[in-house]
Amino acid sequence: MSSSSLKPTLSSSGRSSDPTGEIHVIVGPMFAGKTTALLRRINSECNNGRNVAMIKSSKDIRYAIDSVVTHDGMKFPCWALPNLLSFKDKLGAEEYDKLDVIGIDEAQFFDDLYDFCCNAADCHGKIVILAGLDGDYMRFFSFLFAYFYFSFHPYETRCELCSKRAFFTLRKTDETKTELIGGSDVYMPVCRQHYVDGQAVMEVTRTVLDSCSEVQTDFCLEEVAVV
């Protein structure tokens, strides 16, 4: 079945009569293959005759507005939403009731992720498969770990600098805000040593830039005073 021919919500004749839902978590640093693993699982559920819907944050417009897209171009149509709790209303209660599986990409962008997953799995019997970062660029771990998940799948990749196992995401810019959407121009997967080294380099760079800024400000003030 070609994903390009699918609508964001896929209908089929089969639906499980088991009301118990499940939560499956796919986590790891950037470029570890999380979205690829998510799409493979979603396509498998489609091929098994389940009704599927895919969701991503409307903030993520890196590759497409209405599709989940991997870094290597694999794609799947989706609902792009600012929050998850609006999904049922957007889809419609009747269509929502028909769903068996809900996929969520870049799950860390949703503040209402916990409430949505609990409602979908515990109350509505949905299988929820979500993929997201296990921590931000400062290594603060994501709340994805807090869920009562049915299965947990940590992914890893190789350090871009030495090819050792990479568990962390290093931000390559001096931007300090937590949420900064970007690709390989902003982030790289790194091992522990290169994460520590990289953070040290970024800190030195910030110190130097701050010092230069202060010197430039003092120089300008001196010029004003002379004038």
Side-chain angles (χ1 to χ4, degrees):
M1 182 181 296
S2 172
S3 63
S4 62
S5 64
L6 301 175
K7 295 182 179 180
T9 305
L10 307 175
S11 297
S12 66
S13 58
R15 176 173 170 79
S16 172
S17 59
D18 186 356
T20 304
E22 302 171 1
I23 299 175
H24 300 268
V25 180
I26 301 168
V27 298
M30 289 190 67
F31 311 110
K34 303 181 299 298
T35 300
T36 299
L38 172 63
L39 295 192
R40 285 175 179 164
R41 176 66 188 273
I42 290 297
N43 278 313
S44 176
E45 297 289 352
C46 290
N47 293 335
N48 287 332
R50 299 202 177 216
N51 301 327
V52 174
M54 177 73 82
I55 305 170
K56 75 169 185 177
S57 171
S58 56
K59 298 175 183 177
D60 187 2
I61 57 174
R62 288 172 295 175
Y63 302 114
I65 296 176
D66 57 357
S67 295
V68 169
V69 185
T70 65
H71 296 297
D72 59 0
M74 183 180 178
K75 64 166 53 177
F76 195 97
C78 74
W79 292 83
L81 302 173
N83 58 74
L84 291 169
L85 293 176
S86 65
F87 173 63
K88 185 175 181 179
D89 289 337
K90 294 280 187 182
L91 181 62
E94 185 176 346
E95 289 300 313
Y96 179 83
D97 289 342
K98 295 177 183 178
L99 285 178
D100 299 299
V101 182
I102 301 172
I104 306 172
D105 191 40
E106 302 291 357
Q108 72 277 355
F109 287 138
F110 292 107
D111 294 334
D112 55 356
L113 182 63
Y114 180 84
D115 290 337
F116 178 83
C117 288
C118 286
N119 286 333
D122 297 345
C123 303
H124 306 147
K126 310 300 184 186
I127 296 174
V128 182
I129 309 168
L130 56 93
L133 294 174
D134 52 4
D136 63 17
Y137 80 105
M138 292 296 291
R139 296 193 299 184
F140 292 129
F141 288 103
S142 169
F143 46 80
L144 297 179
F145 288 114
Y147 294 117
F148 296 102
Y149 47 78
F150 184 85
S151 69
F152 180 78
H153 307 276
Y155 276 68
E156 63 186 58
T157 184
R158 292 291 169 180
C159 177
E160 197 168 298
L161 300 174
C162 70
S163 297
K164 291 182 180 178
R165 296 167 69 189
F167 300 98
F168 307 112
T169 301
L170 179 67
R171 181 177 289 178
K172 298 189 287 187
T173 72
D174 60 357
E175 177 59 64
T176 58
K177 66 180 181 180
T178 300
E179 190 175 284
L180 178 64
I181 299 174
S184 58
D185 57 326
V186 180
Y187 299 101
M188 70 168 73
V190 291
C191 64
R192 182 178 297 275
Q193 184 60 53
H194 280 115
Y195 178 86
V196 174
D197 291 346
Q199 289 297 103
V201 169
M202 292 302 298
E203 187 60 36
V204 170
T205 301
R206 291 189 189 102
T207 301
V208 171
L209 290 174
D210 289 343
S211 298
C212 291
S213 178
E214 290 176 4
V215 170
Q216 186 176 11
T217 300
D218 292 341
F219 179 75
C220 291
L221 290 174
E222 289 177 3
E223 282 193 327
V224 171
V226 170
V227 172

